[in-house]
Amino acid sequence: MATPLSEAGAKPAALVEPRLARLIEEQFGFVWRLLRRTGVPESDADDAAQQVFIAASQRIGDIRPGSERAFLFSTALHVGSRIRRGRARKREDFGVELDEQPDLAPAADELVERHRARELLDALLEEMPLELRVVFVLYEIEQLTSAEIAEVVGTPIGTVASRLRRARDDFSARVARIEARRKFGRQGP
Amino acid sequence: MTDDPIRLLDDEGTDLLKSLISAGREEEPQAAALRRTLVAVGVAGVLSTTSAAAASSAATAASASGTPAVGALAGGSASASAAATGTAAAGAAKGVASSTLIVVAKWLAVGALTGTVASSAVYGVSGALKSAPVASSPSSVGLTRAAPKVLPRQPNVGDELREIPAPPPVEVTPPPAAPAPAPAALEPSAERAASSLSAEVTALDNARQALGAGDAPRTLELLNGYETRFREPRMLPEALYLRLEAYTLKGDRSSAEAVARRILLVYPTSPHAARARAMLGLDK
């Protein structure tokens, strides 16, 4: 359990708490989804998101108002990276494949279908370089504009546009290949 | 600045591609995870009675009254008054054409729908804009509030006032010290900016009318056009709000929630944040 507020810079807790609580309330979903789409499994996502906000609480006095998103973004990537490395080590230790290719067969149940769609989405995203994946997720999933992404990621907007173009092309091409395989599968013997 | 492409979900993509993006947008953490984090950080209960809740309750009440037009008019007038007061000060400081600002204020007033009614009402009730600098600095959000030690918090009308977003950033060349320029004369860049802002207002007005007519697809089409046309949109919060309502009208809850999340992410202090919180159930 963290005791962050006592460490939150020179600001009195009474002033910091509402800002922090609102930050968590409003951005928890964003951080959680960002972690999920950057490779953190659902089973770890809650704890990972909590780590991000504990870090934010410890640094709240240093986070310039207006730059909270950028802080949460970079912290989430850092936490996510640590978790991904941990999972990779587990794979090596136990010789198991944690991320099997999802079953592409159509599902009858809508919930199952949604779950499979997310699995497939994550599988496709995982094949994308992280810098492309992040821009893709922020644009297509979180629906930020390029300018907003540039601000959050701390990258020139031209670079964001370039990465987004490559990411969308990459993603669309992979989806097209899956559809072709499905079509071929249906037509096969 | 670059033109943003149409998002894959809004474009003519395949069903599979759209279902993948849609599935990603729809995934949400469980409310318990959020609560656990609030507890872990030691701020659980701090926002137990938020201004958002009050505002969204007002929105619900206005919406439920079945008289959105009257509500919009009343709330809108308050909003217009508040917006005009706020923007006038900013306008004087920035030397922006007042007519354009009035048009913006008019849009905010006329365009008041359910969520806006709530926030407008909040502004109107206080009538205290003169004592509340219009978003003088982002740091005013949250930190300038003298949070009570005893929870729940006080009603947050003042908070809402402090959180009114700064007026649209308009580039105006500061006048030289001497010789004094002709009064009220604007630099070409300022004129262009004012003209562009006026065009934005018109574009959003059209989208709002389509929404008022119950034509969600047309509204979304117009909003797509707005985001494509204006490279540096200064009324994006309003555009997002209309988009949220259009998706809601269309019955596309996942997209509406995604827009609500975006409003909270990018414009957490905008007047439409209350509606976004209500959409996401954060006001409960």
Side-chain angles (χ1 to χ4, degrees), chain A residues 1-5 11 14-30 32-33 36-37 42 46-47 49-50 53-54 57 65-66 69 114 116-118 120-122 124 136 138-148 157-158 161 164 168 171-172 175 178-179 182, chain B residues 1-2 4-9 11 14-17 19-30 33-34 36-43 46-47 50-51 138-139 141-147 149 153 156 159 163 227 236 243 247 255 258-259 261-262 264-268 277 282:
Chain A
M1 182 72 75
T3 53
L5 291 174
K11 302 280 184 190
L15 299 183
V16 171
E17 285 180 5
R19 180 188 176 199
L20 189 53
R22 183 162 292 191
L23 185 69
I24 296 170
E25 189 182 70
E26 293 176 351
Q27 309 298 350
F28 190 82
F30 166 72
W32 191 89
R33 271 188 308 281
R36 290 282 292 119
R37 299 285 88 78
E42 192 171 1
D46 289 0
D47 287 347
Q50 193 174 109
F53 284 102
I54 286 175
S57 73
R69 282 174 293 146
R114 276 283 173 227
R116 284 186 179 169
R118 272 198 289 272
L120 179 54
L121 171 68
D122 288 338
L124 292 173
F136 184 87
L138 292 178
Y139 189 80
E140 298 292 350
I141 308 287
E142 298 300 330
Q143 301 182 66
L144 271 64
T145 64
S146 297
E148 291 160 356
I157 192 167
L164 179 60
R168 282 161 54 100
F171 188 81
S172 298
V175 171
I178 290 172
E179 288 183 312
R182 280 182 168 179
Chain B
M1 199 69 194
T2 61
D4 284 347
I6 297 174
R7 290 187 171 80
L8 292 174
L9 195 59
D11 206 357
T14 65
D15 286 346
L16 176 61
L17 190 146
S19 74
L20 295 178
I21 302 288
S22 179
R25 286 187 186 180
E26 286 174 5
E27 192 177 28
E28 288 282 354
Q30 294 187 348
L34 170 61
R36 279 196 300 273
T37 297
L38 287 166
V39 170
V41 173
V43 292
V46 170
L47 296 182
T50 62
S51 56
S139 64
V141 179
L143 288 178
T144 56
R145 172 175 54 238
K149 290 181 180 176
R153 301 194 322 171
N156 290 308
D159 293 351
E163 292 174 7
E227 291 193 22
L236 193 54
R243 186 176 284 277
Y247 278 131
S255 295
V259 174
R261 288 195 296 265
R262 186 177 163 201
L264 290 183
L265 176 67
V266 185
Y267 305 105
R277 288 192 194 97
L282 295 176

Side-chain angles (χ1 to χ4, degrees), chain B residues 33-280:
Chain B
L34 170 61
R35 281 197 300 274
R36 279 196 300 273
T37 297
L38 287 166
V39 170
V41 173
V43 292
V46 170
L47 296 182
S48 58
T49 55
T50 62
S51 56
S56 60
S57 298
T60 306
S63 178
S65 71
T67 55
V70 175
L73 189 61
S77 299
S79 176
S81 169
T85 309
T87 50
K94 294 200 173 191
V96 178
S98 61
S99 59
T100 302
L101 292 169
I102 290 169
V103 172
V104 175
K106 164 201 165 269
W107 192 94
L108 287 171
V110 176
L113 293 170
T114 53
T116 313
V117 171
S119 48
S120 300
V122 171
Y123 301 152
V125 166
S126 77
L129 265 173
K130 56 185 181 294
S131 62
V134 181
S136 57
S137 124
S139 64
S140 65
V141 179
L143 288 178
T144 56
R145 172 175 54 238
K149 290 181 180 176
V150 180
L151 299 177
R153 301 194 322 171
Q154 297 294 320
N156 290 308
V157 172
D159 293 351
E160 291 289 344
L161 289 171
R162 274 190 287 275
E163 292 174 7
I164 294 172
V170 180
E171 291 180 11
V172 180
T173 306
L186 294 174
E187 293 295 327
S189 64
E191 286 179 3
R192 278 197 302 275
S195 169
S196 166
L197 184 57
S198 184
E200 281 193 48
V201 169
T202 303
L204 289 185
D205 228 357
N206 292 337
R208 182 191 56 78
Q209 283 171 11
L211 182 65
D215 191 345
R218 175 67 181 153
T219 307
L220 292 170
E221 185 183 323
L222 288 168
L223 291 172
N224 287 340
Y226 169 83
E227 291 193 22
T228 305
R229 178 180 169 195
F230 298 102
R231 295 180 176 188
E232 296 180 49
R234 281 159 294 182
M235 299 190 69
L236 193 54
E238 283 69 36
L240 288 174
Y241 170 73
L242 289 175
R243 186 176 284 277
L244 186 158
E245 295 298 348
Y247 278 131
T248 304
L249 180 65
K250 193 180 166 190
D252 186 349
R253 186 170 177 84
S254 67
S255 295
E257 287 179 348
V259 174
R261 288 195 296 265
R262 186 177 163 201
I263 290 173
L264 290 183
L265 176 67
V266 185
Y267 305 105
T269 59
S270 86
H272 309 301
R275 171 73 176 111
R277 288 192 194 97
M279 166 62 68
L280 296 172

Side-chain angles (χ1 to χ4, degrees), chain A residues 18-89:
Chain A
R19 180 188 176 199
L20 189 53
R22 183 162 292 191
L23 185 69
I24 296 170
E25 189 182 70
E26 293 176 351
Q27 309 298 350
F28 190 82
F30 166 72
V31 167
W32 191 89
R33 271 188 308 281
L34 181 63
L35 288 161
R36 290 282 292 119
R37 299 285 88 78
T38 50
V40 174
E42 192 171 1
S43 56
D44 293 337
D46 289 0
D47 287 347
Q50 193 174 109
Q51 287 176 37
V52 172
F53 284 102
I54 286 175
S57 73
Q58 291 167 338
R59 299 283 304 280
I60 191 73
D62 302 327
I63 302 173
R64 191 166 42 84
S67 64
E68 292 93 343
R69 282 174 293 146
F71 178 87
L72 293 175
F73 170 81
S74 59
T75 307
L77 283 195
H78 179 73
V79 170
S81 164
R82 209 168 50 207
I83 290 174
R84 284 194 301 275
R85 279 201 303 273
R87 295 190 79 217
R89 275 198 299 274

